[in-house]
Amino acid sequence: MSMERQKFLTELLNKAARDYYNGGTSDMMDYEYDNLYDELAELENINGCVLSGSPTRFAGYESLSGFPKKAHKHPALSLEKTKNPEDIKAFLGEEVGVISWKLDGLTLVLTYDENGRLESAVTRGDGYTGDDITASAKHIHGIPLKLPCNGRKTVRGEAVITYADFDRVNSTIADTAEKYKNPRNLAAGSLRLTSMKELADRNVRFIVFSCTEGFEEFPTVGDQLDYCSEIGFEVVPHTLVSAGSVKTFLTSKEEQVKAFEYPVDGMVITFDNAKYGNSLGVTGKYHKNAIAFKWRDTVEKTTLRAIEWQIGKTGAYTPVAVFDPVELEGTTVTRASVHNKDILEKLRLTVGDCIGVYKANMIIPQIAENYDWAKHEDYIAPMSPQDSENDKRQIDIRRLTHFADREAMNISGVAESVITALYDAGLLKKYSDFYTLSQKSENKIVSAANLSYNGLDKLLAAIEKSRTTTPDKFLYALGIPLVGRSASKDICRYVKGNIKQLTDPQVISGIISVPDIGEAMQKSLEKYFEPESETAYEFLSVCGFMKFKNNFAADPVQPNNGIKGKTFVITGSVTYYKNRDKLKDEIERLGGKVAGNVSKNTDFLINNDVLSASGKNAKAKALGIPIISENDYIAMKGAV
């Protein structure tokens, strides 16, 4: 049985590693991964066997993104980890160590040529080969493009995003399903953006944590890092420790991490004597000159009182655990997302169970374990609304409402109350039913929806008008899990607007090459467009009613105007353009970006009433952001 468990853990942790290294996100929590990893290592020791591809024997996972690959001259491997301070004392022995934060971002390797110019920036990848993101690196804060010294140099560091910038970026994302789970996911996703302006706006920072090549004149790691600071790098805070002082130091840092601006998941201890550390070499997975320390998460016991379901506007449900209040990291917590039904089943969560709750990265409440797990051998997870016929109505109505939304198919005049009435009358169950509604009895429609005949005519006219749309708006309207507005545009560019290609499994398998589309989104698309599935059939059915304006058929022409790379906010009424959406579409077509609120990252506020005392005008003036009229904007863009 232990060997079966070892096989299971190897496959499970490998999947989590693939999600983590390729997409920057994983459904498995750090707490759970660490515990299962330790269990796997123990089983390998007991069984005397290490299975092929075991995560205890490699550093990362082969990259699946569309970036060109580049081999590392020096392996960028992982570090052995421990949660026991005594292990750190034993590791140091008589040696002096350099201790620094273990930043939680995306590891990058920078190489500078003989003249001190940035030659390449490569992600860690599998430790031996990573993604070449040199073009993106030029827009990451803290990466010098030219060093004030000559000679080839290679440094390693972490691309990170502060908690403040994480909150700022997430606040601009309206769809809850598209929000980033944590700063690390945001940092990883940002480096795969095609818009360099958007990447720069997200304030990704690079912080050096080790020097690999070109620092041989400095005998200690501390001196190497100090020199990096002198030549223009931002360097991770560090200090010297010994076996006698390290335990006290770790305890003090555990309190300080709560106030640190960047996400941190532990400390790194490196031998200060660089020559000695380098002489130790590497294993297939680890650098032997350093070790990582992770604090044990504070887990508080409480009682599970309910499983609730959160519903998004596309109809996707997420289970949420509700429990007796517990104090975690200075706040009172009563709820934690369980992420999906698979985790619900894995933990066998049942009302009344004693559970352990902690805060991942000291921020996000998570369930660590269910202490009553063994009581529920024949566990059946509580049904989500989509599993229950009685509650299926609510999710269907949400999906139909999303389909008709202004940002999707833009069927004006069809409120959720009208959709609900038509649904209950059996007249509107599927997306395609919108486009066959005109064939139904007018009397039934006006009676069910409490419409006048004039109101019915307007409704049918709006439905008819919605048939002429762009492929990306149609794709977004389908409410495919994880596929938001931005992803819909990226997908449509990939298939050049011919979205019927998405029913081809080979097309879906290749879509992972599109920047910002990770494995989770690919799997979601794969499931939705599975051949002969109900959703794929409905997709093709409703496609038959559309008159697509294919704005993705040709490769986009690089705009040459004053709009490209600029961020605009639009407020007030417009006169030259039919509506603000038309103006927004043009700005995006010309390479600009439209945000909802004025911030320090806004370049221009468009408002025909430039003297208005509105809140947006006031904020723009306070930040020194130019307020321009439509005519100013038209002059700025030039001929298009």
Side-chain angles (χ1 to χ4, degrees):
M1 184 64 186
S2 61
M3 181 54 72
E4 288 300 314
R5 177 68 174 170
Q6 182 177 336
K7 291 178 181 177
F8 170 75
L9 290 177
T10 300
E11 294 175 3
L12 181 67
L13 294 176
N14 276 342
K15 181 183 183 305
R18 281 194 296 272
D19 294 341
Y20 186 83
Y21 286 105
N22 292 325
T25 182
S26 170
D27 282 338
M28 185 176 290
M29 300 168 283
D30 287 349
Y31 180 92
E32 182 182 10
Y33 185 93
D34 290 343
N35 287 342
L36 293 178
Y37 182 98
D38 292 343
E39 182 186 349
L40 175 60
E42 185 177 355
L43 285 173
E44 288 176 345
N45 184 52
I46 293 171
N47 294 332
C49 168
V50 177
L51 299 175
S52 175
S54 170
T56 66
R57 294 298 186 270
F58 62 86
Y61 226 96
E62 178 187 359
S63 174
L64 298 176
S65 75
F67 291 90
K69 304 297 180 286
K70 187 176 180 66
H72 296 299
K73 181 177 178 181
H74 306 279
L77 303 179
S78 184
L79 297 177
E80 189 170 3
K81 301 176 182 65
T82 182
K83 294 182 179 180
N84 186 353
E86 295 299 324
D87 291 340
I88 304 298
K89 293 174 63 176
F91 170 81
L92 285 172
E94 299 299 320
E95 294 289 329
V96 172
V98 174
I99 191 166
S100 60
W101 296 116
K102 186 176 183 295
L103 300 172
D104 191 19
L106 192 70
T107 299
L108 298 180
V109 179
L110 305 186
T111 300
Y112 290 80
D113 65 18
E114 292 289 347
N115 298 312
R117 292 187 177 88
L118 179 65
E119 182 178 279
S120 66
V122 184
T123 65
R124 188 177 76 170
D126 64 0
Y128 297 94
T129 302
D131 292 332
D132 189 334
I133 62 157
T134 307
S136 300
K138 296 175 183 178
H139 303 276
I140 298 173
H141 302 284
I143 295 184
L145 302 184
K146 171 72 169 67
L147 299 177
C149 55
N150 295 327
R152 291 187 66 83
K153 288 179 173 56
T154 302
V155 297
R156 294 196 195 104
E158 204 80 355
V160 294
I161 283 182
T162 66
Y163 287 118
D165 282 319
F166 168 72
D167 292 336
R168 174 180 60 82
V169 173
N170 254 358
S171 69
T172 67
I173 302 173
D175 191 341
T176 302
E178 290 188 10
K179 290 182 183 289
Y180 290 90
K181 291 182 179 178
N182 53 56
R184 185 199 180 279
N185 292 355
L186 178 57
S190 297
L191 297 189
R192 289 167 170 78
L193 289 171
T194 55
S195 167
M196 296 298 98
K197 174 65 166 61
E198 187 174 358
L199 169 58
D201 287 346
R202 290 188 176 185
N203 288 339
V204 181
R205 304 201 69 84
F206 177 77
I207 302 178
V208 172
F209 59 67
S210 72
C211 308
T212 306
E213 180 183 14
F215 297 85
E216 291 77 15
E217 62 184 291
F218 300 99
T220 70
V221 169
D223 289 342
Q224 292 174 357
L225 291 174
D226 291 342
Y227 180 66
C228 276
S229 182
E230 291 176 15
I231 60 177
F233 290 106
E234 185 173 350
V235 174
V236 65
H238 56 281
T239 191
L240 299 180
V241 291
S242 65
S245 64
V246 69
K247 191 171 181 179
T248 301
F249 191 86
L250 290 172
T251 301
S252 67
K253 284 295 180 182
E254 186 172 6
E255 293 302 315
Q256 295 177 28
V257 71
K258 299 173 185 177
F260 198 56
E261 61 180 330
Y262 296 107
V264 169
D265 63 350
M267 305 292 296
V268 174
I269 300 89
T270 307
F271 290 120
D272 190 39
N273 185 327
K275 185 175 181 180
Y276 171 72
N278 292 334
S279 71
L280 299 176
V282 300
T283 66
K285 177 178 173 66
Y286 299 126
H287 292 285
K288 297 175 71 175
N289 68 330
I291 188 171
F293 175 82
K294 298 187 74 171
W295 290 284
R296 297 183 186 277
D297 296 296
T298 301
V299 178
E300 297 290 343
K301 288 186 177 182
T302 184
T303 301
L304 181 65
R305 295 302 180 188
I307 297 290
E308 296 181 355
W309 296 89
Q310 288 183 164
I311 181 172
K313 64 181 180 181
T314 62
Y317 281 85
T318 302
V320 176
V322 182
F323 41 80
D324 290 343
V326 290
E327 291 292 322
L328 290 173
E329 312 299 342
T331 62
T332 302
V333 178
T334 60
R335 302 167 65 88
S337 172
V338 190
H339 299 298
N340 55 52
K341 189 177 177 182
D342 289 343
I343 294 178
L344 198 66
E345 292 175 339
K346 188 187 305 178
L347 293 172
R348 299 182 184 176
L349 290 176
T350 304
V351 172
D353 283 349
C354 178
I355 59 174
V357 183
Y358 74 108
K359 276 191 175 180
N361 291 328
M362 299 189 175
I363 297 293
I364 305 167
Q366 304 277 7
I367 296 178
E369 58 184 300
N370 180 4
Y371 299 106
D372 292 329
W373 178 86
K375 294 180 180 179
H376 313 299
E377 189 172 345
D378 299 321
Y379 180 78
I380 299 177
M383 288 192 299
S384 65
Q386 60 261 45
D387 294 326
S388 168
E389 193 61 36
N390 292 334
D391 292 325
K392 184 177 182 296
R393 171 179 175 274
Q394 185 182 1
I395 193 169
D396 285 346
I397 290 170
R398 282 294 185 95
R399 285 173 174 164
L400 291 166
T401 303
H402 171 73
F403 183 84
D405 187 74
R406 185 169 64 90
E407 297 288 343
M409 297 304 293
N410 192 22
I411 304 177
S412 59
V414 57
E416 184 172 339
S417 59
V418 173
I419 289 175
T420 301
L422 294 175
Y423 181 90
D424 288 341
L427 298 170
L428 184 61
K429 296 289 187 181
K430 307 185 299 295
Y431 300 143
S432 56
D433 289 341
F434 278 109
Y435 302 99
T436 60
L437 196 60
S438 60
Q439 303 167 19
K440 307 286 174 61
S441 164
E442 290 187 353
N443 290 335
K444 283 186 177 180
I445 298 172
V446 297
S447 174
N450 195 27
L451 292 172
S452 65
Y453 283 95
N454 183 48
L456 173 61
D457 289 341
K458 289 182 178 179
L459 171 61
L460 295 178
I463 292 173
E464 176 61 26
K465 185 179 179 181
S466 76
R467 292 175 57 198
T468 302
T469 188
T470 55
D472 60 305
K473 287 190 175 181
F474 175 74
L475 188 62
Y476 171 64
L478 296 176
I480 302 170
L482 303 181
V483 180
R485 288 188 293 271
S486 177
S488 296
K489 290 181 179 180
D490 292 339
I491 293 165
C492 286
R493 289 190 190 97
Y494 176 70
V495 297
K496 294 190 174 181
N498 185 6
I499 57 176
K500 290 183 181 179
Q501 288 187 20
L502 296 174
T503 57
D504 183 343
Q506 288 189 329
V507 172
I508 295 295
S509 67
I511 212 164
I512 193 75
S513 64
V514 178
D516 291 339
I517 292 185
E519 187 176 354
M521 192 184 299
Q522 183 200 28
K523 293 296 183 186
S524 180
L525 290 163
E526 195 174 66
K527 182 178 180 181
Y528 192 91
F529 292 106
E530 187 178 20
E532 301 183 10
S533 68
E534 184 178 336
T535 48
Y537 176 81
E538 170 67 359
F539 164 76
L540 291 172
S541 175
V542 73
C543 267
F545 295 100
M546 296 297 112
K547 300 176 182 178
F548 289 122
K549 296 185 296 183
N550 191 352
N551 51 338
F552 298 95
D555 291 332
V557 177
Q558 289 299 319
N560 182 19
N561 53 69
I563 308 304
K564 182 180 179 183
K566 300 291 192 298
T567 297
F568 296 82
V569 172
I570 307 170
T571 190
S573 60
V574 292
T575 55
Y576 180 83
Y577 294 88
K578 186 174 182 180
N579 52 49
R580 293 195 303 197
D581 281 343
K582 294 296 183 184
L583 174 55
K584 176 184 176 183
D585 289 343
E586 181 180 276
I587 291 172
E588 291 178 343
R589 178 170 59 83
L590 296 177
K593 178 183 176 183
V594 178
N597 296 299
V598 175
S599 72
K600 65 179 181 180
N601 299 309
T602 305
D603 292 301
F604 298 97
L605 171 64
I606 299 177
N607 188 351
N608 282 325
D609 186 359
V610 296
L611 299 179
S612 165
S614 69
K616 287 183 178 177
N617 271 28
K619 188 169 184 181
K621 290 175 182 177
L623 293 173
I625 294 167
I627 304 171
I628 63 175
S629 67
E630 270 181 282
N631 288 334
D632 295 328
Y633 161 78
I634 292 168
M636 180 189 299
K637 73 175 182 176
V640 295

